[in-house]
Amino acid sequence: SQQGEEDPQALSIQEGENATMNCSYKTSINNLQWYRQNSGRGLVHLILIRSNEREKHSGRLRVTLDTSKKSSSLLITASRAADTASYFCAASLYGNKLVFGAGTILRVKS
Amino acid sequence: ETGVTQTPRHLVMGMTNKKSLKCEQHLGHNAMYWYKQSAKKPLELMFVYNFKEQTENNSVPSRFSPECPNSSHLFLHLHTLQPEDSALYLCASSHPTRSYEQYFGPGTRLTVT
C-alpha cells in the first residue's frame, strides 16, 4: 500500500490566501519530501524535511513533520496563480527509494 | 529545466510495436529511476539503477525492459504493451551525495492503441 496519502485531494483558493496540504505515511522514514507538478510535466523538488526535524521554511513554503503521528503538512503562504499545480509528498524509505502519495491538486484563482 | 531530458515527449504505439524511451542527464548523478504515472493514481516506482546496476525492480511486467549503459543514460524498451500501460513515464536521477532529492524529466506521454 502507498506510503504517502495527501489530503485534500483538491483545493481551490483565491490569490493571496494560504494553502495547506497534509500528508500521512505508514512506516518509519529517513525524510519526507514535497514535489510540485505542473500539468503533464515532470515533478520539481520543493523541500525536504529530515526525520529529526519538526519544521522547515523555504521562501513562501513551510513544512512541518510529526513523526509520532506520521504526518506532514505543506503550507504555501500568499498564494499566486502560478502556484496552481499538483503537489505530492514522498516518503524516503531505505536507500534512495521514494514512495509518493496520490497528490493534492491546487488551483489558485486570480 | 531540471537537467533531465526525455525523448520522445509523446508516443503512440500499437500493442504489437516495439519502441524505446530515452532519458539523459548530465548532472553528475549516479542513480536513475523510471516511474509510471497513471491518471488518479500515485506515482509508481518501476526501476532503480545505482552506478549502472539495477537495484530495484518493483514487480514490473517483462514487457518493460530497462537498460542503463552508463550513469548518464537510461532507456525503457517497450514491447507487446497493453492499453492499460498508457500513462506518463517519468525518468528521474539523483546526486551521489544527496541521494534522496530526485530530479525529474518532463516525461513521455505514452498511448497504447
Side-chain angles (χ1 to χ4, degrees):
Chain A
S1 61
Q2 66 194 49
Q3 278 282 347
E5 297 184 14
E6 289 97 336
D7 81 272
Q9 291 186 341
L11 182 60
S12 183
I13 59 174
Q14 290 293 136
E15 204 165 27
E17 294 180 338
N18 295 341
T20 300
M21 288 159 269
N22 303 297
C23 169
S24 60
Y25 56 92
K26 293 184 171 65
T27 64
S28 297
I29 58 171
N30 289 317
N31 62 66
L32 191 128
Q33 304 177 34
W34 286 89
Y35 287 79
R36 185 180 96 174
Q37 183 181 34
N38 289 88
S39 180
R41 307 281 301 192
L43 279 70
V44 176
H45 182 268
L46 293 176
I47 193 165
L48 179 155
I49 185 164
R50 301 191 188 285
S51 59
N52 61 353
E53 296 176 310
R54 292 297 166 258
E55 188 171 311
K56 200 161 183 181
H57 297 255
S58 177
R60 294 185 296 114
L61 305 180
R62 173 179 167 247
V63 170
T64 62
L65 180 65
D66 186 333
T67 52
S68 66
K69 295 181 180 178
K70 291 186 168 56
S71 67
S72 173
S73 67
L74 171 68
L75 169 68
I76 304 174
T77 60
S79 63
R80 305 166 182 168
D83 294 328
T84 294
S86 293
Y87 291 82
F88 298 87
C89 69
S92 175
L93 310 181
Y94 57 87
N96 49 7
K97 180 176 179 177
L98 290 180
V99 180
F100 286 81
T104 294
I105 300 171
L106 173 65
R107 181 183 171 214
V108 181
K109 295 177 284 188
S110 55
Chain B
E1 292 295 330
T2 62
V4 180
T5 59
Q6 289 186 244
T7 54
R9 294 293 309 279
H10 300 271
L11 178 63
V12 179
M13 60 185 289
M15 290 191 287
T16 58
N17 290 161
K18 288 184 180 181
K19 296 286 184 183
S20 295
L21 309 184
K22 179 182 177 181
C23 175
E24 187 172 351
Q25 59 87 11
H26 295 289
L27 300 169
H29 292 172
N30 71 327
M32 297 188 78
Y33 315 78
W34 280 117
Y35 289 90
K36 175 184 178 183
Q37 187 176 32
S38 305
K40 299 183 181 178
K41 290 177 69 176
L43 218 63
E44 299 173 56
L45 177 66
M46 299 175 72
F47 302 103
V48 180
Y49 277 82
N50 284 292
F51 294 101
K52 303 186 296 178
E53 298 296 321
Q54 187 181 123
T55 55
E56 186 97 20
N57 177 337
N58 206 20
S59 302
V60 181
S62 60
R63 57 185 184 270
F64 294 91
S65 174
E67 179 190 0
C68 189
N70 54 61
S71 294
S72 299
H73 294 85
L74 185 65
F75 295 90
L76 188 62
H77 303 300
L78 316 170
H79 63 98
T80 59
L81 294 192
Q82 305 298 311
E84 59 265 28
D85 296 323
S86 298
L88 182 67
Y89 288 85
L90 293 163
C91 171
S93 67
S94 63
H95 192 276
T97 59
R98 294 182 64 180
S99 60
Y100 304 131
E101 177 182 339
Q102 295 183 13
Y103 292 72
F104 283 79
T108 295
R109 173 67 63 187
L110 174 67
T111 302
V112 182
T113 60

